[in-house]
Amino acid sequence: MISDEGLIDGTWVLTIFVTDFQVEKNLRVKGDLHVGGLMLKLVEALDITTDWSDHGLYWPGKTLWLSRTRSTLDQYGVQSDANLWFTPMHKGLRVMMPDLQILDLRIDFSINIFSVVIHLCKKLGIRHPEELSLSRKMSREELKKNKGVSATRRTQLPGLAAPNDHLSDRNYESNAIGGSPYRARSATSPQGTLRGGYGGGQQNSPSATAVGGHSPNYSFNANGAMSPGSAHSLSFDGSLDASLINSPKVSVKEAFAMLNRPRNLAEKARINAGWLDSSRSLLEQGIEENGIVLLRFKFSTFYDINPKYDAVRINQIYEQARWSLISEELDCTEEEMIMFAAIQLQVEKQSRLPQPSYDRSTSQGEDEIDFALTDLQASLEGESLLASGDITRTPELRDYLRFFKPRKFAIRSFKRCFFVFKDTYLSMYKRAEDANEPAVLSFNLKGCEVSSDAYVLAQKFSIHLFIPGPTGMIELWIRADTEEQFARWSAAFKLAAKGHTMADSSYEAEVRTTLTFLSMQHPASDVTTNPNDLRFEPDNYIAPRFLGRTKTDQQLCQSIMQAHSNVSSMNLIEAKLNYIKAWQSLPEYGFTYFIMKLRNSRKEDLLAVVSNRLIRMDLNKGDSLKMWRFQNMKSWSVNWEIKQVQVAFEDEEVVFHCLTADCKVVHEFIGGYIFLSMRSGDKNQSLDEELFHKLTGGWL
């Protein structure tokens, strides 16, 4: 039978747009036709001899790749009103590295972001790709107002090309970015060159390699698992681009055209709306061909940094740290800024000199097995439990400190008292002789928030504690008299906040790290400065808020050179690692901010997601109001219907709306940190991609 619209046999007409040849094809199909059969039918109808193996079907209206070739059109919900694209899966993409270099790559647009980052990091020689992700560049206007993305998984995102706009040459605002100071270039690889752009309908050059799950140049298994912790699986000798290890110098003026420069806590929170969903593909999130994305270290926990294998990784972490300070995305004091500038100057000086080799071979001819056994022995020995070697007693601290407990309208006045710290408890007495009597004040520091401020020149060493109490957070300031006292007490407090005592093996290492950090801030004595050494622009080393405030440019250069004398003996890798360690010691390090509104609340608050806790903060002042530790968390999920994040703890449930980003972004940070905390000490462990998506997926 024939009707006015055609045959009545259960078939219907489906329109498919072939992007390579800019033509549309109308095919008569049935709902039980599987996707693979549809692509075969389309290729036969086109009757064009070319390699179609890299092509797939994409549904722009649903922002969805039809990747399951055995599924039918009915199972996908494809009907006659759907317009599909038949398009290459590998497309050109411009990736901005943490050091602001832009690489022109060919990326698989059909696989999820997590898989893209795995393949990309393997090609660039960056271990532990689970610590990185891709982000959009937020515009200045987007930083001025809250603009959360819809929580519906398949809702079309802003900036996604409509089907009829595929041929247009317009630049989407979501991908807009300032010009890079570096010329866009390709990344080298052992097999050939990763070239930007994609020639529609043309077969790939044998010398070109693509970054993605369908490239024949990768040896991943069916589950996408790899061994990011195994250095032996990474063979990059002779293939690494030297500019990724030692980045070309770029001026601040050029860099600021590409960097976000938040002016307050609210803008710091809005920056995080740019993170892409790790479970979806590039095209499904509005990233168009030849668009620009930012490759950044997303999580603030770095596993097994090893100079032997991580030259690129160390440099890119260093560059991300450096620009976060200069762009004022992360705050520090002027004294700390001078120290960071001095280390940066040392890095630049050392980058022009020959460096010691970190190759596994030695002059004694030891082979890799000997080195592996040596590393194993060092890791098993660990730190001594106590400096005295006495493991029969619980370590404790006893000393006079000054303290201040803030009260409303009270003048800050520190009182000198005797403090005893044992296990995770801090007790205060008026005098040392009263230590055997009941304490005047006693606090359990488990779960508290610890931050510290050290001003070496002024000899002020303060520790700021926010201690959980029955009615909220109890604020307490403690001031030490010496650097040694400050290092030991602050290290003990940080361990207590995690539920550990001073018997923990990391205590002495934390003390040494703090003392090293303080030693780099010491003013140098009797330093003779060569006038030629002062010929550098301080704005390339100092955050803008410190320029011209209390010192002239020449005075700043003089201060940097004086501080440089404390780090002038470091080689290149040591300088970068010390910069990273000092960056990690800053109070705000690792805080990822979002603006939220708790359920049944009208007030907007700031939510900080850290590696082991959530912190509710005052949006205007940044003061901590309440804290929830992940170790007390039972579950976390997302209610997609009403766009709410739900986190259940042992004693309460926290439910909130995120006002500055898709609620999936917040959920992914929480699940991502849980995933990273599950990494074992086995450096050859495989990366469990399935577990990552289970923890970050957001489904009840």
Side-chain angles (χ1 to χ4, degrees):
M1 296 180 61
I2 299 178
S3 68
D4 295 337
E5 297 182 356
L7 298 175
I8 305 179
D9 56 358
T11 63
W12 38 273
V13 175
L14 178 64
T15 301
I16 302 177
F17 178 69
V18 184
T19 60
D20 286 354
F21 300 100
Q22 305 175 18
V23 298
E24 286 188 349
K25 273 290 181 181
N26 295 322
L27 301 179
R28 183 164 290 277
V29 298
K30 287 186 176 182
D32 59 358
L33 178 64
H34 56 79
V35 172
L38 176 61
M39 289 192 289
L40 179 61
K41 189 171 185 177
L42 174 63
V43 169
E44 291 175 347
L46 288 172
D47 195 23
I48 298 175
T49 303
T50 188
D51 183 4
W52 299 104
S53 61
D54 188 46
H55 286 60
L57 288 173
Y58 179 71
W59 190 356
K62 298 290 186 179
T63 62
L64 177 67
W65 283 95
L66 308 187
S67 55
R68 301 190 304 271
T69 56
R70 294 185 180 182
S71 296
T72 65
L73 298 179
D74 284 341
Q75 289 173 328
Y76 268 115
V78 177
Q79 298 178 353
S80 59
D81 58 348
N83 291 299
L84 304 183
W85 291 354
F86 190 56
T87 185
M89 292 179 287
H90 284 84
K91 301 176 184 291
L93 186 70
R94 309 185 74 201
V95 179
M96 179 178 287
M97 301 293 289
D99 63 357
L100 308 185
Q101 296 188 79
I102 293 180
L103 305 181
D104 282 337
L105 307 173
R106 287 189 61 247
I107 303 291
D108 191 340
F109 273 57
S110 68
I111 61 176
N112 60 53
I113 297 297
F114 192 72
S115 298
V116 168
V117 173
I118 289 176
H119 296 302
L120 180 59
C121 288
K122 184 175 177 65
K123 185 57 60 178
L124 298 176
I126 300 176
R127 298 193 305 151
H128 304 293
E130 66 273 17
E131 298 169 354
L132 299 92
S133 190
L134 298 177
S135 172
R136 294 183 180 88
K137 169 71 165 59
M138 304 299 290
S139 68
R140 182 71 244 172
E141 292 301 317
E142 288 176 310
L143 294 183
K144 293 181 180 179
K145 56 185 178 180
N146 295 345
K147 190 178 180 181
V149 182
S150 170
T152 304
R153 298 302 301 275
R154 299 302 177 187
T155 298
Q156 184 166 329
L157 297 174
L160 184 61
N164 296 332
D165 293 334
H166 178 71
L167 304 179
S168 67
D169 295 325
R170 65 187 179 92
N171 291 323
Y172 294 96
E173 182 179 356
S174 62
N175 293 327
I177 195 167
S180 172
Y182 306 113
R183 186 177 177 183
R185 56 186 185 78
S186 300
T188 59
S189 67
Q191 292 83 7
T193 303
L194 301 177
R195 301 189 302 186
Y198 185 87
Q202 297 178 359
Q203 190 170 357
N204 297 341
S205 169
S207 63
T209 49
V211 178
H214 303 280
S215 171
N217 298 310
Y218 296 99
S219 58
F220 295 135
N221 61 32
N223 296 322
M226 60 175 291
S227 182
S230 175
H232 307 288
S233 65
L234 305 176
S235 54
F236 297 103
D237 296 338
S239 64
L240 285 176
D241 192 332
S243 66
L244 293 177
I245 299 175
N246 293 313
S247 303
K249 191 172 182 179
V250 53
S251 70
V252 168
K253 183 178 179 181
E254 295 171 315
F256 280 174
M258 298 171 289
L259 293 170
N260 291 308
R261 297 184 59 197
R263 299 173 182 173
N264 49 49
L265 289 171
E267 292 190 359
K268 288 183 180 180
R270 295 179 186 122
I271 288 176
N272 293 305
W275 290 108
L276 298 181
D277 186 341
S278 295
S279 63
R280 303 181 66 193
S281 69
L282 288 161
L283 199 58
E284 291 171 340
Q285 299 184 73
I287 304 300
E288 62 173 358
E289 185 173 1
N290 296 321
I292 290 184
V293 294
L294 316 179
L295 179 65
R296 295 292 183 268
F297 290 89
K298 182 176 182 178
F299 302 101
S300 61
T301 54
F302 305 120
Y303 180 81
D304 185 31
I305 294 181
N306 192 324
K308 296 177 183 177
Y309 318 118
D310 292 328
V312 174
R313 183 179 174 213
I314 290 172
N315 181 65
Q316 296 303 321
I317 295 175
Y318 159 76
E319 289 289 338
Q320 183 165 323
R322 182 168 75 91
W323 288 118
S324 70
L325 291 169
I326 294 178
S327 67
E328 302 178 359
E329 187 176 341
L330 188 64
D331 295 333
C332 66
T333 65
E334 182 174 352
E335 205 170 35
E336 291 166 341
M337 191 76 252
I338 295 295
M339 178 201 64
F340 283 115
I343 302 177
Q344 179 185 337
L345 184 62
Q346 178 66 6
V347 169
E348 294 178 1
K349 287 177 177 292
Q350 288 294 312
S351 63
R352 299 189 289 267
L353 301 175
Q355 296 299 312
S357 174
Y358 287 93
D359 187 34
R360 297 187 64 87
S361 61
T362 65
S363 58
Q364 286 76 19
E366 293 182 320
D367 58 19
E368 294 193 3
I369 296 178
D370 294 329
F371 268 95
L373 292 174
T374 303
D375 291 342
L376 177 61
Q377 179 182 356
S379 63
L380 291 177
E381 287 177 351
E383 301 284 347
S384 60
L385 293 181
L386 293 171
S388 62
D390 184 3
I391 61 173
T392 62
R393 64 180 179 86
T394 303
E396 62 180 37
L397 291 174
R398 290 171 171 259
D399 211 340
Y400 279 97
L401 300 167
R402 286 172 291 166
F403 91 101
F404 167 70
K405 188 177 180 182
R407 294 183 179 87
K408 196 171 185 180
F409 306 119
I411 300 175
R412 181 177 295 186
S413 176
F414 286 85
K415 296 181 180 180
R416 186 174 179 83
C417 292
F418 188 77
F419 284 85
V420 176
F421 179 79
K422 189 173 183 179
D423 291 330
T424 60
Y425 286 87
L426 177 67
S427 302
M428 186 185 75
Y429 306 88
K430 289 184 178 180
R431 297 171 301 178
E433 293 78 9
D434 301 334
N436 295 325
E437 304 294 330
V440 176
L441 290 174
S442 183
F443 302 101
N444 185 357
L445 300 189
K446 184 177 180 179
C448 74
E449 176 71 17
V450 183
S451 62
S452 56
D453 292 314
Y455 299 89
V456 175
L457 290 177
Q459 286 295 293
K460 290 184 179 180
F461 308 101
S462 299
I463 305 171
H464 196 187
L465 301 176
F466 282 95
I467 306 168
T471 59
M473 302 293 282
I474 301 171
E475 186 177 2
L476 189 67
W477 286 83
I478 292 179
R479 183 167 290 177
D481 296 324
T482 65
E483 294 180 17
E484 179 75 20
Q485 192 182 53
F486 171 77
R488 293 205 167 275
W489 285 82
S490 63
F493 292 162
K494 290 177 182 178
L495 286 175
K498 302 175 184 178
H500 303 308
T501 69
M502 292 170 56
D504 191 271
S505 60
S506 62
Y507 173 70
E508 291 296 337
E510 180 68 28
V511 172
R512 289 195 298 270
T513 299
T514 304
L515 290 174
T516 302
F517 177 69
L518 296 175
S519 67
M520 290 188 291
Q521 299 183 44
H522 287 174
S525 58
D526 300 329
V527 176
T528 303
T529 304
N530 187 337
N532 294 328
D533 292 337
L534 299 178
R535 295 177 181 175
F536 59 88
E537 296 294 333
D539 56 355
N540 288 326
Y541 300 83
I542 302 292
R545 71 178 181 276
F546 298 119
L547 297 173
R549 192 170 72 174
T550 57
K551 297 180 180 179
T552 64
D553 286 1
Q554 186 175 2
Q555 289 173 327
L556 283 172
C557 291
Q558 184 74 32
S559 298
I560 294 172
M561 289 305 302
Q562 289 178 347
H564 177 260
S565 64
N566 294 324
V567 299
S568 58
S569 61
M570 297 179 183
N571 63 37
L572 182 61
I573 288 293
E574 289 173 347
K576 289 180 180 179
L577 289 176
N578 275 283
Y579 195 104
I580 294 170
K581 289 178 182 178
W583 176 55
Q584 292 175 310
S585 299
L586 295 175
E588 286 189 31
Y589 169 77
F591 282 43
T592 304
Y593 296 111
F594 302 92
I595 297 178
M596 69 162 183
K597 186 177 289 185
L598 290 171
R599 183 173 58 183
N600 301 327
S601 174
R602 296 182 179 180
K603 181 183 177 182
E604 294 182 0
D605 289 314
L606 193 67
L607 176 71
V609 183
V610 198
S611 60
N612 58 358
R613 63 197 185 277
L614 300 176
I615 307 173
R616 178 190 172 197
M617 308 175 71
D618 184 272
L619 181 57
N620 298 316
K621 299 180 180 179
D623 294 338
S624 297
L625 303 176
K626 193 164 187 179
M627 181 173 55
W628 303 276
R629 288 203 166 267
F630 289 163
Q631 63 187 22
N632 300 324
M633 186 168 58
K634 297 179 358 183
S635 65
W636 66 101
S637 59
V638 172
N639 187 327
W640 297 106
E641 296 298 325
I642 55 177
K643 308 174 188 178
Q644 275 189 343
V645 180
Q646 303 171 352
V647 187
F649 293 91
E650 292 178 354
D651 53 350
E652 66 177 313
E653 184 179 50
V654 181
V655 182
F656 60 88
H657 292 275
C658 182
L659 306 180
T660 53
D662 191 328
C663 55
K664 175 63 163 60
V665 178
V666 184
H667 185 278
E668 191 167 303
F669 267 98
I670 297 173
Y673 276 123
I674 298 296
F675 175 78
L676 296 181
S677 70
M678 298 172 67
R679 293 184 290 192
S680 67
D682 180 9
K683 297 180 181 179
N684 290 317
Q685 60 190 302
S686 61
L687 180 57
D688 193 340
E689 186 173 354
E690 182 180 355
L691 178 61
F692 177 86
H693 290 298
K694 283 182 179 179
L695 294 174
T696 61
W699 296 101
L700 291 169

